[in-house]
C-alpha cells in the first residue's frame, strides 16, 4: 500500500457507507443543501440567509456546504435553475401531450394551469419570481437569460402548434417576451398578496390575454380556427 493509499484509508475515503460510495454521498449532501436553500431563500429571503442557517436546515456542517458551493449566491442560482427547469418542463409537457382534438382555449388553459400550479408553493415562487433581482450583475444576467429562454420556448411551442403562422423572427420574440410578462407579473402579485385569490382566477385572467394574442394572429394570418393552441 502506498503512503497516499494509507492516508486515504485512514480517513475512510473511498469507502461505501449505507450502500453509498463517496460520490453518491456527496451528491446526496448537495441535494440536502438544495432543499435547504429552497426553504431558507424561499422563506426568509436571500438577504437574510447565512451559511449557518443553511447548514442548520440541511443538518450538515459548513465543511459540506463549501464542498458543493463557493458561496450563498452560487447556491441561490442553483436552486433557481433547478426549479425554473422544472417549471419549464411542466409547460413543455402540457403542450407536447395535448390532443389535437382539444379546442385551443382548453389547451391554453392547461398550459397556464401547469405554470401557476407550480408557483403555488410560495418558496418556489419567491425564489423564481423575486429573489434574484438586484443581487449582482452575474445573477441579473442569469435571470434575464431565463426570461429570454422562456420567451423562446413560447415561440417554439407556437411554431409547433401553429406551423402555418408566418411572423418575422423579431416580432415572434417580442410576442414571446410579452406573454412571459403576462404570466410572470400576475404570478408575482399573486405571491405578494399571499395567494389572496384562487388559482382559477389568475389562470382565467392570463387566459384572456393569451387568447387575445392568438385570435389577433389568427385573424391576421387568415387562418381562424387552427387545430391546436399556443400551449
Amino acid at each position: 500500500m502506498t503512503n497516499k493509499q494509507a492516508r486515504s484509508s485512514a480517513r475512510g475515503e473511498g469507502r461505501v457507507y449505507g450502500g453509498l460510495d463517496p460520490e453518491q454521498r456527496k451528491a446526496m449532501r448537495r441535494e440536502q443543501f438544495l432543499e435547504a436553500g429552497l426553504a431558507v431563500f424561499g422563506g426568509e429571503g436571500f438577504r437574510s440567509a447565512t451559511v449557518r442557517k443553511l447548514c442548520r436546515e440541511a443538518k450538515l456542517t459548513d465543511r459540506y456546504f463549501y464542498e458543493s458551493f463557493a458561496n450563498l449566491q452560487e447556491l441561490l442560482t442553483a436552486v433557481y435553475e433547478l426549479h425554473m427547469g422544472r417549471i419549464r418542463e411542466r409547460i413543455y409537457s402540457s403542450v407536447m401531450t395535448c390532443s389535437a382534438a382539444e379546442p385551443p382555449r382548453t389547451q391554453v388553459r392547461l398550459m397556464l394551469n401547469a405554470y401557476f400550479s407550480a408557483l403555488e408553493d410560495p418558496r418556489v415562487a419567491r425564489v423564481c419570481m423575486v429573489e434574484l433581482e438586484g443581487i449582482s450583475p452575474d445573477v441579473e444576467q442569469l435571470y434575464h437569460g431565463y426570461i429570454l429562454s422562456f420567451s423562446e420556448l413560447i415561440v417554439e411551442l407556437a411554431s409547433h402548434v401553429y406551423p402555418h403562422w408566418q411572423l418575422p423572427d423579431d416580432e415572434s420574440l417580442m410576442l414571446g417576451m410579452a406573454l412571459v410578462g403576462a404570466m410572470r407579473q400576475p404570478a408575482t402579485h399573486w405571491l405578494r398578496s399571499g395567494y389572496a385569490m384562487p388559482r382559477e382566477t389568475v389562470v382565467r385572467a392570463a387566459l384572456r390575454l393569451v387568447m387575445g394574442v392568438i385570435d389577433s394572429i389568427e385573424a391576421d394570418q387568415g387562418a381562424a380556427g387552427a387545430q391546436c393552441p399556443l400551449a
Side-chain angles (χ1 to χ4, degrees):
M1 178 182 291
T2 66
N3 289 338
K4 181 177 180 181
Q5 288 172 329
R7 288 194 300 271
S8 294
S9 178
R11 291 194 301 267
E13 294 177 2
R15 293 182 181 177
V16 173
Y17 293 105
L20 300 175
D21 65 28
E23 286 306 309
Q24 289 171 319
R25 294 198 300 274
K26 181 178 178 181
M28 185 175 68
R29 290 191 293 268
R30 187 177 193 278
E31 181 64 27
Q32 286 175 254
F33 276 114
L34 288 170
E35 292 175 4
L38 179 64
V40 174
F41 300 144
E44 303 177 29
F46 174 76
R47 290 163 180 81
S48 298
T50 64
V51 171
R52 177 175 292 181
K53 286 181 182 178
L54 285 155
C55 290
R56 187 163 58 242
E57 182 70 28
K59 297 180 173 59
L60 293 168
T61 66
D62 59 355
R63 166 195 169 192
Y64 290 122
F65 176 86
Y66 291 109
E67 170 187 67
S68 294
F69 303 99
N71 49 45
L72 291 173
Q73 180 177 301
E74 188 172 301
L75 175 58
L76 174 65
T77 57
V79 174
Y80 173 81
E81 291 188 280
L82 172 64
H83 289 281
M84 287 296 282
R86 290 177 178 175
I87 293 170
R88 181 188 179 94
E89 180 57 33
R90 291 179 74 156
I91 293 172
Y92 187 81
S93 295
S94 74
V95 176
M96 303 309 290
T97 59
C98 78
S99 167
E102 293 286 355
R105 190 177 186 87
T106 298
Q107 298 300 322
V108 175
R109 183 185 293 276
L110 288 172
M111 182 273 287
L112 292 170
N113 193 65
Y115 170 73
F116 286 108
S117 65
L119 297 174
E120 279 187 308
D121 183 333
R123 303 169 306 165
V124 173
R126 182 168 181 172
V127 168
C128 292
M129 300 289 120
V130 176
E131 286 300 311
L132 265 68
E133 293 193 64
I135 291 177
S136 74
D138 286 344
V139 173
E140 285 283 314
Q141 184 176 356
L142 174 70
Y143 176 72
H144 289 290
Y146 266 85
I147 291 177
L148 177 60
S149 75
F150 268 70
S151 69
E152 291 171 340
L153 173 64
I154 289 176
V155 171
E156 176 189 343
L157 295 177
S159 298
H160 171 77
V161 173
Y162 288 113
H164 61 280
W165 281 2
Q166 299 293 322
L167 294 172
D169 290 345
D170 55 354
E171 182 180 353
S172 294
L173 181 60
M174 287 298 100
L175 281 170
M177 293 288 277
L179 290 173
V180 168
M183 295 165 66
R184 182 188 178 282
Q185 290 306 116
T188 302
H189 176 75
W190 195 35
L191 167 67
R192 292 191 181 281
S193 73
Y195 300 94
M197 62 196 73
R199 186 201 326 150
E200 177 55 31
T201 299
V202 184
V203 170
R204 186 168 59 246
L207 179 63
R208 291 182 186 277
L209 288 171
V210 176
M211 290 307 300
V213 171
I214 290 173
D215 291 344
S216 173
I217 296 173
E218 285 288 82
D220 287 346
Q221 298 289 312
Q227 44 206 13
C228 209
L230 174 65

